[in-house]
Amino acid sequence: MAGHIISIVGGKGGVGKSQVAANLAIAYANETRAKTLLLDFDQRACGDQNIITGLKSKKTVKDLAEFNGAIDPRSILLFTADHKAGFSFIGMNTEQVAASSIPEEGLGKALKAISNIYPITIIDVGNELTPLALKALEFSTLIFIVVTPDLIAVNQSKRMYSDMITMLFPKDMIQIVVNQAVNGHPVSPDVIGKQIGKPVFSVIPRDDASCTAALNRSTPVLVTAKGSPFGNGITECVRKLIQKSVLKTLEKLAKPENVATKSSGAEGEGENKARDKWTELKARIHKSLVEEMDLKKQDDNDPKAKIILREQTKKTVVDLLGKEDTKAILATRDDMNRIVKEILDEALGYGPLEDMLADKSISEIMVVGPKKIFYEQSGKVKKSEVTFTNDRQVMNVIERIVAPIGRRIDEKTPYVDARLPDGSRVHAIIPPCALDGCVITIRKFPDKRLTYKDIVKFGAMTEEMADFLRISVEAHRNIVVSGGTGSGKTTLINMLGGFIQSNERIITCEDSAELNFPQDHVVRLETRPPSLEGDGAIDIRCLVKQTLRMRPDRIVVGECRGGETLDMLQAMNTGHDGSMTTVHSNTPRDAISRLETLVQYAGAGLPQKAIKEMIASAVHMIIQQSRLDDGSRKCLYITEIGGLQGEVVTLQDIFTFKQEGMNKEGKIIGKFMASGFIPKFIETLEKKGYKVPRGLFTNK
């Protein structure tokens, strides 16, 4: 008689499904005294079961899928590791690349043989319905969705349950297990059952102490603390399955086959086939193109040479397409023009990113592997229909970006900060750090430098606020621009830089040069990564120290994120007034805390009060920039630092933005308000004869 397979799946990460799976295997071995097998199919959390069980199998799931011999009680011993608790184990590959290339059809054959060897097989499937996971579900008698009592986990589990039903898995085959349950919790098992639309089958109490202790010892909970609340919950679940003969009842149900290929539907399958043929044709032409032409010899600095090379390449591509049977793929002249352009863009430019880089309405481009490209347009993130051919093409684009500026990216240093010729900021990270393929993030640089008039026109601040900031910059106030990622800090500091008098010497220090000041006398410094030998790196802190020997009137640091903060504050305190920098934080008060933390990165061992005194003395103003829910960027606070009172740095808001609601189009409604407070330095300026209109600080 064939054995049963139970698959354990989590609606989201962190629900404890791996611990549930491992301990279910032990509970079945204890209760039935029969051979039990635990398989790790989780391709994301590679090797988690090795830690939970304390075992390392002789061979992996990938080896099992690629095994060409017959799988029988003797040959299966070549793969398994046996636990003293009575179960056998075959683990997942610990390397992401190997884990992602497991042939699911081979595993299907293995599972069919395994069910004739082991009465019970427990599979830790993971948190996603990948092709490998779906293959496990096809051979399963029972599917447990593990969920915790929090609304996000419940919502994700509901989505997963709905997806399985859509794929024609019988409802009775799918059961809900609540893990980490707490008596009296508002998200009770009854609430979870109603939300998902399926009564909860079993409840496992929350038992952090036993679970943590077991993990630290790399031993399952049922070995270290069998009588614990978690252990009892697992055992009760298994006894319920045995006593009610659940598996015998479920084995009669008809289960779907080849779910992975059917789940996209007939229409989607047709579209995918057409897209695959298009992609395959592009890949063949590109390969032939590389064989016929040396594309690496192009001169990036010679525009004429670029045009000539593109025309030569275009002619070669058309000739290669003429040798292919393209009638079914290239039905019209437009199709022909499109595929030629895509191949040329990939061979000589930035591939599918070319059109997005040319589109002025797109402000950010985000690539996640070859098949997913997202972009930000009008403050909203959208998914592009165009994709790369494969991961190699994405890697080619990254190398094409970093090579001209002397940067490198490889397995030793799998990430890089770079810039495009127009100044756009580029960050790239590749496997093994990026699990889904090469990742590129491009923050586009505007064609023309934005002035304060543009920023006022966009509604980021009022004219009164811009006038006040002009006065502050001209009065040599030390300014910190605070904000989150993508909030417009660099744009704002570029605007502030435009207010600096043309007779002053400005020195900028950045990781990747982005600041673009209109003055003639600007010295731009940029960090340098280490060489192949691992030495020669020059960081921001080193650059800030160099600026002090270069007779600066103003020092502008693109972003403070480490020990350079101490050097920046010292420079502000020693005659370099009018300096500027940016930090990541959510409010002016948070910016002070962030500066305190960053100063400690310098390792100088300064006491907390000394750091606060330095900040209160060095920084005069904090400007809080933010990206709101509707995608708009606004200056939420302009705040003056008043000094130190006791242990607290005093802050006084000068201008604030007050949100009042949202209109029908989803745009935020609000207004900028002046607090009425007159900054201290205004009186000093007036004594020097500088006329400052007091109307700036009143609300019209």
Side-chain angles (χ1 to χ4, degrees), residues 140-438:
S140 298
T141 307
L142 171 66
I143 302 167
F144 273 149
I145 298 179
V146 179
V147 59
T148 50
D150 71 83
L151 293 176
I152 293 177
V154 173
N155 186 54
Q156 296 288 356
S157 300
K158 180 182 179 181
R159 175 191 56 78
M160 182 168 280
Y161 176 65
S162 176
D163 289 347
M164 289 181 186
I165 298 301
T166 304
M167 295 174 191
L168 302 180
F169 285 100
K171 290 184 178 180
D172 292 341
M173 179 185 176
I174 308 165
Q175 298 296 333
I176 308 298
V177 173
V178 177
N179 189 27
Q180 301 176 17
V182 180
N183 287 334
H185 196 284
V187 186
S188 64
D190 288 339
V191 171
I192 293 171
K194 288 177 183 177
Q195 285 286 329
I196 297 176
K198 177 85 181 178
V200 171
F201 178 84
S202 184
V203 177
I204 302 169
R206 181 166 187 165
D207 185 5
D208 291 344
S210 300
C211 292
T212 303
L215 274 176
N216 290 338
R217 296 173 62 180
S218 289
T219 308
V221 177
L222 281 176
V223 174
T224 60
K226 185 176 181 180
S228 64
F230 180 87
N232 290 335
I234 292 285
T235 304
E236 286 301 316
C237 177
V238 170
R239 286 174 180 170
K240 189 174 180 180
L241 286 172
I242 295 170
Q243 290 166 6
K244 294 191 175 183
S245 302
V246 173
L247 297 177
K248 286 185 179 179
T249 305
L250 295 179
E251 70 181 354
K252 300 171 185 177
L253 296 175
K255 296 185 284 289
E257 297 180 2
N258 298 322
V259 184
T261 55
K262 291 179 181 178
S263 59
S264 58
E267 185 179 347
E269 188 177 350
E271 290 177 4
N272 287 335
K273 283 184 178 179
R275 195 179 296 115
D276 288 344
K277 287 182 178 179
W278 181 280
T279 304
E280 287 170 8
L281 176 61
K282 277 172 57 181
R284 288 199 303 273
I285 298 298
H286 196 277
K287 184 179 179 183
S288 302
L289 185 65
V290 172
E291 291 171 356
E292 292 205 13
M293 296 183 69
D294 188 358
L295 301 173
K296 292 184 178 179
K297 285 187 176 179
Q298 59 176 312
D299 186 353
D300 291 321
N301 298 318
D302 188 349
K304 289 184 179 179
K306 278 187 173 183
I307 294 170
I308 294 169
L309 180 63
R310 190 173 182 88
E311 288 302 318
Q312 290 175 344
T313 310
K314 183 177 180 180
K315 184 178 181 300
T316 307
V317 170
V318 173
D319 291 342
L320 291 170
L321 284 169
K323 298 174 185 178
E324 293 270 348
D325 182 11
T326 59
K327 291 180 181 178
I329 305 170
L330 307 178
T332 66
R333 185 179 293 274
D334 287 341
D335 289 340
M336 182 69 169
N337 292 335
R338 183 178 146 219
I339 199 166
V340 170
K341 182 182 183 302
E342 288 185 11
I343 294 169
L344 287 175
D345 286 345
E346 287 188 0
L348 303 174
Y350 302 130
L353 306 185
E354 285 281 348
D355 291 337
M356 294 184 194
L357 289 167
D359 189 339
K360 295 179 182 178
S361 65
I362 293 175
S363 57
E364 195 147 5
I365 302 167
M366 295 151 278
V367 179
V368 186
K371 301 303 178 187
K372 287 188 283 187
I373 302 175
F374 299 89
Y375 60 93
E376 184 185 279
Q377 194 171 40
S378 303
K380 300 293 182 183
V381 176
K382 304 172 185 176
K383 187 174 182 179
S384 171
E385 293 182 1
V386 296
T387 61
F388 284 91
T389 304
N390 50 42
D391 238 332
R392 182 63 250 177
Q393 298 297 335
V394 190
M395 192 65 196
N396 287 345
V397 168
I398 296 173
E399 289 172 349
R400 197 165 283 131
I401 291 170
V402 303
I405 59 171
R407 300 287 170 106
R408 64 184 181 84
I409 186 167
D410 48 41
E411 285 192 4
K412 187 176 180 182
T413 311
Y415 50 85
V416 69
D417 281 309
R419 65 180 186 278
L420 296 179
D422 66 355
S424 297
R425 179 195 309 173
V426 181
H427 178 269
I429 185 165
I430 63 173
C433 290
L435 304 184
D436 297 321
C438 301

Side-chain angles (χ1 to χ4, degrees), residues 67 69-80 117:
F67 184 64
I71 296 177
D72 53 39
R74 180 174 293 179
S75 63
I76 196 70
L77 298 177
L78 299 171
F79 299 85
T80 60
I117 302 172

Side-chain angles (χ1 to χ4, degrees), residues 509-524:
C509 307
E510 301 172 84
D511 277 322
S512 181
E514 297 167 356
L515 297 177
N516 179 25
F517 294 163
Q519 293 85 353
D520 189 38
H521 198 167
V522 179
V523 180
R524 303 171 75 207

